[in-house]
Amino acid sequence: MSRGELRIYLGAAPGVGKTYAMLEEAHRRAERGTDVVVGFVETHGRRHTVAMIGELEQVPRRTITYRGVEFPEMDLDAVLARRPEVAVVDELAHTNVPGSRHEKRWQDIQELLDAGITVLSTVNVQHLESVNDVVAQITGTTQRETVPDEVVRAAEQVELVDMTPEALRRRMAHGNIYRPDRIDAALGNYFRVGNLTALRELALLWLADKVDDQLDAYRAQQGISDTWEARERVVVALTGGPEGETLVRRAARIAARSKGADLLAVHVARSDGLAGADPAQLARQRVLVESLGGTYHHVLGTDIPAALLDFARGVNATQLVLGASRRGRFAQLFSRGVGVTTTALSGPIDVHLVTHPEAGRGRRTVGMPAALSRRRRLFGFALAGLGMPLLTLLLRALPDLSLTNDILLFLAGVVGVALVGGLWPALVAALGGSLLLNWFFTPPYRTLTIAEADNLLALGVFVGVAVAVSWVVDVAARRTREAARASADAQTLATVAGGVLRGERPLPALLDRLRETFGLRAVSVLELSAEAEGRPDRARDESAWRVVASVGDGPAGSPHAGETAVPVDERLTVVLSGRRLEAADRRIVEAFAAQAAVALRQERLAEEAATARPLAEADRMRTALLAAVSHDLRTPLASAKAAVSSLRSPDVEFDADDQAELLATAEESLDQLARLVANLLDMSRLQAGVLGVTTTAIGLEDAVPRALDDLGAPAADVATDLPADLPAALADPGLLERVLVNIVANALRHSPSGQPPTITASAHGGRVELRVIDTGPGIPADQWEHVFLPFQRLGDRDNTTGVGLGLALSRGLAEAMGGTITPETTPGGGLTMVLRLPAAQPGTSEGPRG
């Protein structure tokens, strides 16, 4: 059975028409004969939306009762049993009422998709997890209901339902979004023009990123390497020279001219090293790039212009920024340089050659001789073939020179050829030079016969010295190449390590760096099944391998499906796809592979630790609960049982006063037992993460008296100072009362006789603060956090009245409502508990929180 498709309608704010557009699509599909049902649509009382449902079949909703209130939710089982082709499910980020199968509606939708049902849904940009903090900064309102970005990005289609801020405000003013009593408050708060404009931009940019991902995937699937200027991408090439910061800032200004443009910096390190590359300079330039919102990349390539353009085309760059050559004019006569060559080969990519103070000054660092490339060897052979005859003609024109001088000049020529072309061109020059010396300059002339023994010795020494010098030059060039290669490898590994240390996910980051460094299509980590381990015949079977991690397009599923396979151990193998690497590159790939294996093991250990942590916590909580039940619940149970047993005893007759006292003792003990059990149950729900919270706007002037009434006579003398203009708090009334009872009870227990606690309140920065102040012995600041641990009674004089859950439970309940509880020192001595809750916005309505 194939998985269903998900289509999401994305909006910048409530009221732009997401649900309406979703229902229009549902009608279009139904008219084409598709089986469409409405699983859940939230109309918010909007008449146009209600009318749009029309004759679409609606699956009856499920009603869930929570804290005495009935909430309608989608009946997931009924939709699955109905098995339509398409289900309409509104509000992707909705939090289900406690008691539902899943905590979030998007999890319900995932189950529908797994069942092969296509789903149409809606979401606002403020509910996306990645922009939640940005939305809070813009609007001043924190969205508690969020959906992971991966869920929305995985949708087959995401359609933007757009509306200008002015049009949306007109819809609001006409009563098409909220009730009339909420319109003015909404227009003056969340629906301000600035807020809506910023939210609209967020929605457009987020959707542009998803479209960009789809474009990259399409280009990779179709093998398209040409640049498509769908979005500006500015690549700046860094050499590690002092001009780098100038180039980065210039590229950043170019990128800033186009809204949403990307800035990418790339350093191409040749496999034989790059003269003038300063690691410290590159590190500073990388920090600068990332501070300007760009990304840094490091690639290897023997041909710098080709590697640079390959990278630029790979990221679909539209503009390339290069620095003017630092080489002098004389050097530029023999080679066009990277900038000119890149410009000639760039095609549709615009190339900017930026001048800088270092241009034309030459390289300030003198590096070791470069490795002998094929081009240099060919030049060396040409120099040997032409240079030796030219030197012969020159010496023939100077008849006064002795044979010794002729030999020294020929030796100098051989050394020159060795410096240019290496060993083999120098050997050719030495052999040719010895023949020319013998023929033209050694008596008897124009024959290969040597008349004198001294001349024979001189020619022999000439050939030996020439061969020795050539060998030394070749060895030096080889060592230079090896050292430069090691330097390039070390720089690449340092770049990888830096990326991991900056917080990237280790395994995907390593694989992506490996793919990018060597210009590969895909990299995958394969694991051999336990059944095939140690069996070479099974290891050749593709089904015996499993892909545990991969990056790129079309990763290999077995070691034989890629171009290069690097075994890590008996079970893990890293497979590279896209091109076959040279043997010299295998060493650094093996280093990558070893690090990838370590990263994989770390991820698995972290997963195991995450799995074990809740079990350990549950075990600790279970042990503490058993200790509490065995110790703290015994006293009220014993008191109640003793009182009831006395009343039922036939041996003693009690008068009315005695009976009333025994009944009061039993009732008080049972009330205490009920409170203890309630605290235990709530703490267990908090630990399990299943405590449901329904927040609404509530005034502290109503909540505080109810809490004091619950405490009875001991709280009669508590002083309160609540300002008349104090805004309402956003909280669950029942849970808020429990929090206040526990905090005030704790203050009463520690307050000196005749000095009852005081309760004050104020509002600051969109939050309401309530302070419960006592003048008791107080608690040292380094012990404040200990009072919030379950089953602790730090500083309590009475260890028989509870299980030490009051403050721990109060903090948990406060945080569940979006608030905090923090202790402070009371001026003059004592402890002040500060309860901070979000201030309710005008028009806030009740709703569940998960």
Side-chain angles (χ1 to χ4, degrees):
M1 179 178 59
S2 61
R3 179 178 168 87
E5 295 185 355
L6 176 60
R7 180 168 183 168
I8 296 176
Y9 292 84
L10 173 67
V16 296
K18 304 180 303 299
T19 304
Y20 195 90
M22 176 181 64
L23 291 172
E24 281 185 329
E25 176 63 19
H27 278 289
R28 280 193 294 270
R29 298 196 182 201
E31 290 170 359
R32 295 197 298 264
T34 305
D35 183 16
V36 181
V37 302
V38 175
F40 191 97
V41 169
E42 183 58 71
T43 65
H44 298 288
R46 299 165 189 164
R47 61 183 184 277
H48 297 299
T49 306
V50 174
M52 193 61 197
I53 297 177
E55 298 180 356
L56 290 174
E57 178 186 348
Q58 299 187 57
V59 176
R61 300 181 180 185
R62 176 189 178 197
T63 301
I64 300 177
T65 302
Y66 176 69
R67 300 183 69 86
V69 180
E70 293 185 346
F71 295 94
E73 291 286 1
M74 180 179 70
D75 193 335
L76 178 59
D77 291 325
V79 177
L80 290 170
R82 172 63 175 74
R83 295 196 63 80
E85 294 179 67
V86 178
V88 178
V89 184
D90 206 4
E91 296 189 350
L92 183 70
H94 170 75
T95 300
N96 293 329
V97 175
S100 303
R101 183 184 307 175
H102 299 123
E103 179 185 0
K104 297 287 188 177
R105 183 165 292 164
W106 64 264
Q107 295 170 318
D108 295 337
I109 291 176
Q110 292 296 322
E111 189 168 343
L112 294 176
L113 296 173
D114 292 337
I117 301 173
T118 294
V119 177
L120 308 180
S121 190
T122 64
V123 70
N124 281 328
V125 69
Q126 65 262 30
H127 295 299
L128 297 175
E129 184 65 47
S130 64
V131 298
N132 186 255
D133 56 338
V134 181
V135 172
Q137 182 180 2
I138 293 171
T139 64
T141 302
T142 301
Q143 298 293 333
R144 300 296 177 184
E145 292 184 328
T146 59
V147 59
D149 288 46
E150 293 77 9
V151 174
V152 184
R153 289 189 182 277
E156 282 69 21
Q157 296 184 64
V158 178
E159 181 175 328
L160 179 67
V161 182
D162 192 27
M163 181 176 289
T164 65
E166 294 76 14
L168 185 56
R169 285 172 59 86
R170 282 197 300 271
R171 289 198 65 197
M172 173 71 73
H174 293 160
N176 294 328
I177 301 177
Y178 287 163
R179 298 190 307 271
D181 59 331
R182 298 180 57 190
I183 292 176
D184 290 339
L187 289 175
N189 290 278
Y190 194 89
F191 283 80
R192 294 194 299 268
V193 172
N195 288 358
L196 297 177
T197 302
L199 292 173
R200 188 185 186 200
E201 182 180 19
L202 276 179
L204 291 169
L205 290 176
W206 191 94
L207 188 60
D209 285 338
K210 176 172 173 58
V211 172
D212 193 53
D213 292 340
Q214 292 174 332
L215 178 61
D216 288 342
Y218 174 80
R219 283 165 52 85
Q221 292 170 1
Q222 301 298 321
I224 299 172
S225 59
D226 294 339
T227 300
W228 287 5
E229 298 186 19
R231 180 175 180 176
E232 289 289 342
R233 283 184 176 84
V234 181
V235 173
V236 54
L238 302 178
T239 66
E243 76 282 358
E245 294 187 5
T246 301
L247 300 183
V248 169
R249 292 190 173 92
R250 177 62 172 164
R253 290 196 295 272
I254 294 174
R257 295 170 185 168
S258 299
K259 192 67 174 179
D262 294 332
L263 173 64
L264 301 91
V266 59
H267 170 60
V268 180
R270 291 181 55 172
S271 58
D272 57 356
L274 180 62
D278 184 351
Q281 289 272 19
L282 282 175
R284 288 192 293 269
Q285 291 161 16
R286 176 173 191 157
V287 172
L288 176 61
V289 169
E290 293 176 348
S291 69
L292 294 172
T295 57
Y296 179 87
H297 305 266
H298 180 96
V299 299
L300 292 177
T302 55
D303 186 339
I304 292 180
L308 185 59
L309 288 172
D310 286 344
F311 175 83
R313 295 187 182 108
V315 298
N316 201 25
T318 57
Q319 302 190 61
L320 184 57
V321 178
L322 304 173
S325 178
R326 283 184 283 141
R327 299 180 308 148
R329 293 182 179 180
F330 182 77
Q332 295 181 32
L333 293 176
F334 297 93
S335 175
R336 295 191 300 175
V338 173
V340 177
T341 305
T342 303
T343 304
L345 302 175
S346 63
I349 302 176
D350 296 335
V351 178
H352 303 263
L353 280 177
V354 179
T355 187
H356 51 84
E358 305 298 324
R361 293 189 176 183
R363 297 193 180 275
R364 297 184 180 181
T365 58
V366 179
M368 295 288 290
L372 301 182
S373 63
R374 182 172 179 270
R375 183 178 179 182
R376 283 188 58 180
R377 290 196 300 271
L378 291 176
F379 188 67
F381 280 116
L383 185 60
L386 297 176
M388 294 296 103
L390 290 175
L391 180 60
T392 300
L393 293 177
L394 177 63
L395 293 179
R396 293 279 293 173
L398 301 173
D400 296 334
L401 294 180
S402 65
L403 177 61
T404 302
N405 292 329
D406 294 334
I407 291 176
L408 290 176
L409 291 173
F410 268 91
L411 182 60
V414 172
V415 171
V417 172
L419 292 173
V420 173
L423 176 62
W424 293 107
L427 291 178
V428 171
L431 179 60
S434 65
L435 293 175
L436 290 173
L437 280 170
N438 190 356
W439 185 268
F440 289 104
F441 302 102
T442 305
Y445 302 109
R446 299 185 183 279
T447 69
L448 295 179
T449 303
I450 301 176
E452 298 180 9
D454 291 345
N455 294 338
L456 178 63
L457 178 61
L459 287 176
V461 171
F462 164 75
V463 173
V465 172
V467 171
V469 170
S470 302
W471 178 261
V472 169
V473 170
D474 189 73
V475 169
R478 189 182 303 115
R479 295 291 183 266
T480 300
R481 180 168 60 252
E482 292 172 355
R485 177 74 189 203
S487 175
D489 291 352
Q491 189 174 358
T492 300
L493 293 174
T495 301
V496 173
V500 174
L501 291 175
R502 276 188 297 278
E504 299 177 10
R505 293 179 58 201
L507 185 54
L510 282 168
L511 298 183
D512 197 54
R513 292 289 182 180
L514 176 58
R515 181 189 62 80
E516 182 182 89
T517 297
F518 292 101
L520 303 169
R521 186 186 74 249
V523 179
S524 56
V525 179
L526 306 182
E527 185 175 33
L528 185 64
S529 63
E531 296 80 8
E533 189 174 359
R535 298 180 56 184
D537 56 328
R538 286 294 309 278
R540 288 191 290 270
D541 185 2
E542 185 172 348
S543 62
W545 294 90
R546 181 172 65 93
V547 179
V548 295
S550 65
V551 295
D553 181 53
S558 69
H560 311 291
E563 279 71 21
T564 304
V566 180
V568 180
D569 52 29
E570 293 80 0
R571 298 188 61 182
L572 289 179
T573 299
V574 175
V575 183
L576 316 179
S577 304
R579 68 181 182 91
R580 186 171 297 279
L581 297 184
E582 299 177 2
D585 294 326
R586 190 175 181 90
R587 181 177 56 183
I588 191 170
V589 174
E590 290 175 348
F592 271 98
Q595 292 299 321
V598 173
L600 177 61
R601 294 188 184 99
Q602 288 177 341
E603 284 190 2
R604 290 180 172 176
L605 288 173
E607 291 174 359
E608 293 175 1
T611 303
R613 191 178 299 112
L615 297 177
E617 182 66 20
D619 185 67
R620 187 193 67 80
M621 180 62 66
R622 188 182 300 110
T623 303
L625 284 172
L626 291 174
V629 170
S630 65
H631 179 271
D632 296 297
L633 301 187
R634 186 179 302 168
T635 300
L637 279 174
S639 299
K641 179 175 177 57
V644 174
S645 298
S646 298
L647 289 172
R648 294 190 61 197
S649 175
D651 300 330
V652 181
E653 293 186 2
F654 296 97
D655 56 24
D657 293 338
D658 291 335
Q659 290 180 2
E661 184 176 352
L662 288 172
L663 288 173
T665 300
E667 182 179 17
E668 181 180 350
S669 298
L670 292 174
D671 287 343
Q672 182 182 355
L673 181 62
R675 288 194 297 271
L676 295 176
V677 172
N679 281 346
L680 288 170
L681 290 175
D682 281 346
M683 179 57 69
S684 65
R685 292 191 186 100
L686 279 173
Q687 294 288 335
V690 296
L691 181 68
V693 181
T694 302
T695 59
T696 187
I698 180 172
L700 293 183
E701 66 276 8
D702 298 325
V704 171
R706 286 201 298 268
L708 297 179
D709 289 342
D710 285 349
L711 290 170
D717 296 330
V718 173
T720 60
D721 182 13
L722 305 178
D725 58 348
L726 188 69
L730 191 63
D732 183 302
L735 298 185
L736 177 59
E737 186 174 337
R738 294 283 302 281
V739 171
L740 293 176
V741 166
N742 284 333
I743 295 178
V744 176
N746 184 73
L748 285 169
R749 190 160 55 248
H750 294 88
S751 294
S753 178
Q755 299 180 30
T758 301
I759 301 177
T760 65
S762 58
H764 303 282
R767 301 183 78 82
V768 178
E769 294 186 358
L770 185 139
R771 297 172 178 269
V772 179
I773 306 168
D774 71 61
T775 56
I779 300 175
D782 59 352
Q783 298 292 317
W784 281 351
E785 288 301 314
H786 290 235
V787 302
F788 294 106
L789 298 177
F791 310 105
Q792 302 293 320
R793 300 189 189 87
L794 187 63
D796 283 2
R797 297 184 298 271
D798 180 9
N799 277 351
T800 64
T801 59
V803 292
L805 284 176
L807 292 180
L809 180 61
S810 297
R811 171 175 274 190
L813 296 179
E815 291 176 350
M817 294 184 292
T820 59
I821 294 180
T822 54
E824 295 179 357
T825 300
T826 302
L831 186 69
T832 297
M833 284 293 178
V834 184
L835 170 63
R836 295 181 176 88
L837 294 169
Q841 299 293 329
T844 300
S845 60
E846 185 176 355
R849 293 167 54 97

